[in-house]
């Protein structure tokens, strides 16, 4: 969930994670989680039990800035970055699964992505309904997957820091030729870590993934830290209990994708009483069939429906 000030968020996150660590140790975790810096759209490894799917105006999203850039991503483009030579091993098949999911997130068959169309930028701060005003998020007419890079020239750090993850996003921008701010107004770099690695302390830091922004010589970049969630077993980061190993990483990445689209440079985008668009609905998952397969897509908050939904 987004916090209004990073210093406050750092303190609260550290306290929350300390408490979380006590719980995970009781269930077999090997070490206390280290305090982590504040990030945005942080999906918890073990979501709370209270469902947020009931309609409530307390969760209504409002835009936090009247800016015309960085509030939303009007034409989303996803760049998958499989970081490190460790990707020679992919026991759960994460790499093909993530590619297939994004290859199918477009057009008429993708009714989940149409939830995002109602959100926009370039409207007054505090807006809750864009109507015909502003620049809206456009539902992709073709796959939003704009590029895939296996950066296997060297091993990724076993326990990458936030700084190292952000630097990898910068390397990816250069690799894909996005070397000015213009293309990076819609590009989101998903840094996917390999099995056996622990980016930003995963899993002992208590999160499934998070997204953020970073400054670079190519402008401000939007990026996601996506760990190898299947390492935590079936059932991690999803509400489904059917034993399907890839559900958790699909649910998590759709959470982060939607939050990046609607709060592109956090936190000047859309937020509400429960946080960003995915934070509001972390207890709602649905299997959605796309042209490329069936995937676990997390529910999102819809202002127009006034509740968490899995289709627009």
């Amino acid at each position: 969930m987004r916090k209004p000030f990073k210093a406050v968020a750092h303190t609260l996150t550290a306290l929350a994670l300390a408490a979380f660590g006590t719980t995970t140790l009781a269930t077999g975790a090997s070490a206390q989680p280290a305090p982590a810096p504040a990030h945005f759209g942080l999906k918890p490894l073990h979501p709370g039990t209270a469902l947020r799917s009931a309609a409530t105006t307390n969760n209504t999203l409002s835009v936090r800035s009247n800016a015309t850039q960085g509030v939303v991503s009007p034409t989303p483009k996803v760049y998958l970055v499989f970081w490190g030579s460790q990707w020679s091993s992919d026991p759960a098949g994460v790499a093909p699964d993530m590619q297939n999911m994004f290859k199918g997130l477009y057009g008429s068959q993708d009714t989940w992505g149409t939830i995002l169309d109602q959100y926009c930028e370039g409207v007054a701060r505090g807006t809750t309904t864009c109507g015909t005003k502003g620049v809206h998020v456009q539902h992709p007419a073709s796959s939003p997957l704009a590029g895939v890079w296996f950066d296997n020239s060297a091993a990724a750090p076993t326990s990458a820091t936030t700084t190292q993850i952000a630097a990898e996003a910068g390397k990816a921008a250069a690799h894909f030729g996005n070397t000015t701010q213009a293309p990076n107004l819609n590009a989101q770099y998903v840094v996917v870590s390999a099995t056996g690695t622990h980016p930003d302390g995963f899993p002992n830091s208590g999160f499934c993934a998070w997204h953020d922004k970073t400054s670079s010589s190519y402008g401000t970049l939007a990026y996601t830290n996506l760990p190898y969630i299947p390492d935590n077993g079936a059932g991690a980061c999803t509400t489904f209990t059917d034993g399907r190993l890839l559900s958790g990483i699909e649910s998590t990445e759709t959470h982060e994708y939607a939050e990046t689209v609607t709060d592109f440079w956090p936190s000047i985008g859309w937020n509400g009483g429960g946080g960003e668009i995915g934070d509001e609905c972390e207890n709602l998952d649905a299997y959605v069939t796309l042209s490329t397969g069936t995937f676990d897509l997390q529910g999102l908050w819809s202002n127009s429906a006034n509740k968490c939904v899995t289709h627009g």
Side-chain angles (χ1 to χ4, degrees), residues 20-37:
F20 178 83
T22 303
T23 302
T24 53
L25 279 173
T27 58
S30 60
Q32 291 277 359

Side-chain angles (χ1 to χ4, degrees), residues 200-220:
D200 196 30
F202 173 86
N204 286 339
S205 292
F207 62 80
C208 301
W210 48 255
H211 75 100
D212 214 325
K213 63 180 178 182
T214 185
S215 298
S216 77
S217 56
Y218 315 129
T220 302

Side-chain angles (χ1 to χ4, degrees), residues 264-281:
F264 195 61
W265 294 343
S267 55
I268 66 172
W270 292 79
N271 287 271
E276 295 175 313
I277 191 172
D279 297 325
E280 302 268 17
C281 307

Side-chain angles (χ1 to χ4, degrees), residues 14-310:
L15 291 172
L17 291 178
F20 178 83
T22 303
T23 302
T24 53
L25 279 173
T27 58
S30 60
Q32 291 277 359
H39 295 294
F40 299 87
L42 187 149
K43 182 174 181 177
L45 196 61
H46 300 288
T49 56
L51 293 175
R52 295 177 181 171
S53 57
T56 167
T57 54
N58 292 334
N59 286 345
T60 298
L61 303 179
S62 63
V63 66
R64 300 302 169 92
S65 170
N66 60 3
T68 57
Q69 293 181 346
V71 174
V72 300
S73 173
T75 55
K77 297 185 184 301
V78 176
Y79 295 87
L80 292 175
V81 183
F82 297 99
W83 188 17
S85 57
Q86 296 98 319
W87 277 100
S88 59
S89 175
D90 181 9
V94 164
D97 183 67
M98 288 290 99
Q99 292 175 70
N100 285 334
M101 185 176 74
F102 279 111
K103 285 178 180 177
L105 278 178
Y106 76 94
S108 60
Q109 195 160 350
D110 170 27
T111 57
W112 176 87
T114 56
I115 302 166
L116 303 174
D117 300 1
Q118 64 190 279
Y119 301 107
C120 67
E121 65 186 11
V123 293
R125 179 174 178 168
T127 296
T128 59
T129 303
C130 291
T132 59
K133 298 179 180 178
V135 177
H136 284 244
V137 175
Q138 298 176 30
H139 184 61
S142 58
S143 170
L145 183 61
V148 178
W149 182 31
F150 284 84
D151 181 10
N152 55 13
S153 59
T158 301
S159 299
T161 64
T162 297
T163 300
Q164 289 171 319
I165 297 165
E168 181 66 8
K171 283 180 61 180
H175 173 81
F176 291 114
N178 297 334
T179 54
T180 63
Q181 184 65 85
N184 287 312
L185 291 175
N186 284 288
Q188 54 175 283
Y189 300 97
V190 182
V191 180
V192 195
S193 291
T195 183
T197 61
H198 309 281
D200 196 30
F202 173 86
N204 286 339
S205 292
F207 62 80
C208 301
W210 48 255
H211 75 100
D212 214 325
K213 63 180 178 182
T214 185
S215 298
S216 77
S217 56
Y218 315 129
T220 302
L221 307 179
Y223 74 102
T224 295
N225 170 31
L226 183 62
Y228 200 90
I229 291 171
D231 278 352
N232 257 40
C237 305
T238 177
T239 60
F240 290 127
T241 58
D242 57 7
R244 183 173 176 270
L245 196 57
L246 288 166
S247 293
I249 196 165
E250 293 167 359
S251 174
T252 296
E253 177 46 30
T254 51
H255 172 116
E256 302 301 336
Y257 166 75
E259 291 190 337
T260 304
V261 169
T262 56
D263 192 11
F264 195 61
W265 294 343
S267 55
I268 66 172
W270 292 79
N271 287 271
E276 295 175 313
I277 191 172
D279 297 325
E280 302 268 17
C281 307
E282 64 196 23
N283 286 298
L284 178 64
D285 286 85
Y287 282 128
V288 177
T289 299
L290 306 173
S291 61
T292 52
T294 300
F295 304 91
D296 176 356
L297 308 187
Q298 195 204 279
L300 304 175
W301 181 264
S302 168
N303 277 2
S304 61
N306 195 33
K307 63 181 180 179
C308 293
V309 296
T310 55

